[in-house]
């Protein structure tokens, strides 16, 4: 009897081992298949498969348009209310009356704020390459205002043409009359709108991780998969990058609102991980977004503004140009274009737009314009590639479901 019981136990142990090995093999095969499918999707780009990429892009666009149309139809009461409000605002916009001066003012402020909010959102998605629009747009704008303020001894630039063009006012201040706080106040609106845009741009990782946690689905997102792997190997993490990510995750998870605020208030390349962490641990939306908005649009923006304004103050710029000229051999040749550019900016500031002064182009501004064009073109290409890869993922998921039903 004892021998029979021992044999039964051994058979059960052997069967459980076989079942465990079978599950492990099936799981490894599934992981390998997902890896191959992901690599196949990543190869669908315009410079490798142009015809397939364009075809998948147009098909994905049609599917998205259909889905958006269905969603709008289900929310048609909200859509009708929005259209009615838009019709009333349009009538007020075109109707003659004393209110037109306020309408024009609000129109100008609205588009100015929308412009910077849009650039902030693009900055969070990296403009397709990870290069901040702060370096391309907001930073140069603050630098231009700073240089003009020190040259004109005033921030009361005539409107118009400001902000499209900066010229000195007719009554300039005395030397040394411009203050750091006056320049900060002059660029506060656009800087805060840009910061608000970056906060809005941090919402997709949060919603993606939150939806994945609630539904139990596994999103095909590299950052989310990296986050799950980090949680699995938290105790064995040794390298500095993994420990830094764990520190951000622990800070956000344990401290909550103030932890998110601390991460959002400093230049932090790991903040996407904070958004994924908040979504994964189901942190309330307003806790996450409120802390992110305050940190990015108020605290962080004032730190960045202060840095740019101090860097481009008059005496610092003059010292930098003189240091460039001190470089052996190539110093004078490098210094010349910077001196010409600064002199051209001073001339522009002291002439009216309609004075007929010729506008010379410096090679620095020419290179900057071409860089912006290249970045925007690459951003458009990245959107096409991403949508084509999304359609390829649809086809693969359809193939999975068909295989399961067989």
């Amino acid at each position: 009897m004892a021998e029979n019981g021992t044999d039964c136990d051994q058979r059960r142990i052997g069967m459980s081992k076989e079942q465990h090995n079978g599950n492990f093999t099936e799981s490894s095969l599934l992981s390998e298949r997902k890896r191959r499918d992901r690599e196949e999707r990543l190869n669908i780009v315009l410079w490798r498969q142009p015809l397939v990429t364009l075809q998948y892009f147009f098909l994905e666009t049609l599917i998205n348009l259909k889905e958006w149309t269905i969603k709008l139809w289900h929310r048609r009461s909200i859509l009708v209310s929005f259209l009615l409000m838009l019709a009333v605002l349009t009538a007020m916009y075109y109707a003659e009356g004393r209110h037109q001066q306020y309408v024009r003012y609000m129109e100008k402020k609205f588009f100015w704020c929308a412009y910077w909010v849009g650039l902030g959102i693009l900055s969070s998605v990296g403009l397709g390459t990870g290069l901040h629009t702060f370096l391309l747009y907001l930073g140069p704008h603050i630098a231009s205002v700073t240089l003009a303020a020190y040259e004109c001894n005033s921030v009361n630039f005539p409107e118009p043409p400001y902000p499209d063009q900066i010229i000195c006012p007719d009554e300039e201040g005395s030397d040394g009359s411009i203050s750091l706080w006056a320049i900060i106040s002059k660029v506060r609106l656009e800087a805060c709108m840009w910061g608000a845009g970056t906060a809005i741009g941090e919402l997709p990782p949060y919603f993606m991780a939150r939806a994945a946690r609630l539904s139990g689905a596994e999103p095909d997102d590299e950052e989310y998969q990296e986050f799950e792997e980090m949680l699995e190997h938290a105790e064995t993490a040794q390298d500095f990058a993994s420990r830094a990510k764990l520190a951000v995750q622990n800070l956000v998870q344990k401290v909550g609102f103030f932890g998110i605020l601390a991460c959002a208030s400093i230049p932090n390349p790991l903040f996407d991980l904070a958004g994924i962490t908040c979504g994964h641990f189901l942190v309330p939306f307003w806790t996450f977004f409120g802390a992110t908005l305050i940190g990015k649009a108020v605290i962080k923006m004032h730190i960045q503004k202060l840095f740019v304004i101090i860097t481009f103050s008059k005496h610092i710029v003059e010292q930098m140009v003189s240091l460039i000229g001190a470089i052996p051999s190539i110093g004078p040749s490098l210094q010349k274009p910077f001196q010409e550019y600064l002199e051209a900016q001073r001339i522009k500031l002291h002439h009216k737009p309609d004075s007929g002064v010729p506008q010379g182009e410096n090679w620095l501004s020419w290179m900057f314009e071409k860089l912006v064009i290249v970045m925007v073109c690459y951003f458009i290409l990245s959107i096409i590639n991403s949508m084509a890869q999304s359609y390829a993922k649809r086809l693969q998921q359809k193939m999975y479901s068909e295989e399961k039903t067989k």
Side-chain angles (χ1 to χ4, degrees):
M1 293 291 290
E3 291 178 356
N4 291 335
T6 304
D7 292 340
C8 290
D9 291 340
Q10 289 177 350
R11 281 198 297 270
R12 280 198 299 269
I13 293 170
M15 290 174 64
S16 64
K17 286 183 177 179
E18 289 176 0
Q19 185 178 3
H20 174 74
N21 292 334
N23 292 337
F24 179 77
T25 305
E26 184 179 353
S27 176
S28 62
L29 289 174
L30 183 61
S31 299
E32 179 64 21
R33 181 173 180 177
K34 286 184 176 181
R35 186 187 64 79
R36 289 199 308 268
D37 289 343
R38 190 177 298 111
E39 290 178 355
E40 182 182 338
R41 290 198 302 272
L42 291 176
N43 285 327
I44 302 176
V45 289
L46 280 169
W47 44 89
R48 290 180 181 172
Q49 304 180 51
L51 295 179
V52 174
T53 304
L54 289 174
Q55 180 188 1
Y56 283 10
F57 166 71
F58 285 119
L59 291 173
E60 180 69 13
T61 302
L62 291 175
I63 291 173
N64 287 333
L65 288 174
K66 180 182 176 182
E67 291 176 352
W68 293 340
T69 303
I70 293 173
K71 288 179 181 179
L72 287 174
W73 177 252
H74 289 158
R75 296 169 176 81
R76 52 187 177 273
S77 58
I78 299 176
L79 179 62
V80 170
S81 301
F82 174 76
L83 291 175
L84 288 174
M85 184 180 69
L86 187 62
V88 171
L89 292 175
T90 303
M92 292 177 61
Y93 181 81
Y94 286 104
E96 297 294 336
R98 298 178 61 182
H99 67 285
Q100 280 299 320
Q101 57 178 331
Y102 304 107
V103 170
R104 301 303 176 196
Y105 175 80
M106 293 300 297
E107 177 189 21
K108 181 180 178 181
K109 289 296 181 184
F110 173 79
F111 284 111
W112 182 242
C113 292
Y115 173 75
W116 290 110
V117 169
L119 287 177
I121 294 173
L122 289 178
S123 181
S124 288
V125 299
L127 204 60
T129 61
L131 185 64
H132 269 243
T133 52
F134 182 89
L135 299 177
L136 291 173
Y137 294 97
L138 184 59
H141 172 72
I142 297 174
S144 299
V145 172
T146 303
L147 291 172
Y150 280 106
E151 178 64 25
C152 305
N153 293 305
S154 173
V155 292
N156 298 320
F157 310 125
E159 299 184 34
Y162 183 83
D164 299 323
Q165 181 184 353
I166 304 176
I167 60 173
C168 290
D170 294 332
E171 297 181 2
E172 299 181 13
S174 58
D175 289 342
S177 61
I178 194 67
S179 66
L180 186 67
W181 183 253
I183 303 174
I184 290 176
S185 301
K186 187 67 177 179
V187 295
R188 179 177 291 120
L189 176 63
E190 46 265 48
C192 289
M193 290 298 105
W194 185 87
T198 61
I200 295 171
E202 298 294 349
L203 294 179
Y206 169 82
F207 284 124
M208 178 268 298
R210 184 181 179 87
R213 180 67 184 273
L214 292 174
S215 64
E218 182 182 353
D220 185 32
D221 184 86
E222 293 182 0
E223 290 183 345
Y224 187 77
Q225 290 171 0
E226 182 183 348
F227 171 74
E228 288 194 324
E229 291 176 1
M230 183 189 70
L231 291 180
E232 292 175 2
H233 305 93
E235 296 180 358
T236 59
Q238 297 293 333
D239 58 297
F240 176 77
S242 298
R243 284 183 292 178
K245 292 177 181 179
L246 278 172
V248 171
Q249 183 250 323
N250 290 329
L251 179 66
V252 170
Q253 183 184 358
K254 295 178 180 179
V255 183
F257 179 89
F258 293 102
I260 302 168
L261 182 65
C263 290
S265 299
I266 57 174
N268 183 6
L270 301 177
F271 190 79
D272 279 348
L273 186 64
I276 293 174
T277 301
C278 291
H280 181 79
F281 292 105
L282 304 180
V283 173
F285 170 77
W286 286 112
T287 300
F288 170 71
F289 185 66
T292 304
L293 185 65
I294 295 171
K296 285 183 171 290
V298 180
I299 302 175
K300 181 182 174 182
M301 270 322 307
H302 277 82
I303 296 173
Q304 290 178 298
K305 274 193 301 182
L306 195 62
F307 174 78
V308 175
I309 292 171
I310 292 175
T311 303
F312 285 89
S313 59
K314 188 175 182 180
H315 63 284
I316 296 291
V317 171
E318 290 174 350
Q319 289 178 3
M320 289 172 61
V321 173
S322 62
L323 286 174
I324 291 173
I327 299 175
S329 303
I330 60 173
S333 58
L334 285 176
Q335 186 186 43
K336 185 177 179 181
F338 286 97
Q339 289 177 331
E340 291 177 350
Y341 176 77
L342 293 173
E343 184 61 30
Q345 296 306 307
R346 291 191 185 99
I347 294 173
K348 285 183 183 179
L349 290 171
H350 292 284
H351 286 84
K352 305 301 179 186
D354 54 352
S355 61
V357 177
Q359 301 287 326
E361 186 177 35
N362 185 270
W363 69 270
L364 289 174
S365 58
W366 182 87
M367 285 185 61
F368 180 77
E369 290 174 2
K370 299 302 178 285
L371 174 65
V372 172
I373 293 172
V374 169
M375 295 299 299
V376 171
C377 290
Y378 191 83
F379 176 59
I380 295 171
L381 291 178
S382 68
I383 291 176
I384 295 174
N385 292 335
S386 178
M387 293 185 68
Q389 291 166 9
S390 297
Y391 185 77
K393 184 182 177 183
R394 289 179 188 270
L395 295 179
Q396 291 170 352
Q397 289 176 339
K398 183 179 179 182
M399 190 182 301
Y400 289 156
S401 60
E402 289 177 353
E403 289 176 357
K404 287 181 180 179
T405 54
K406 289 181 180 179

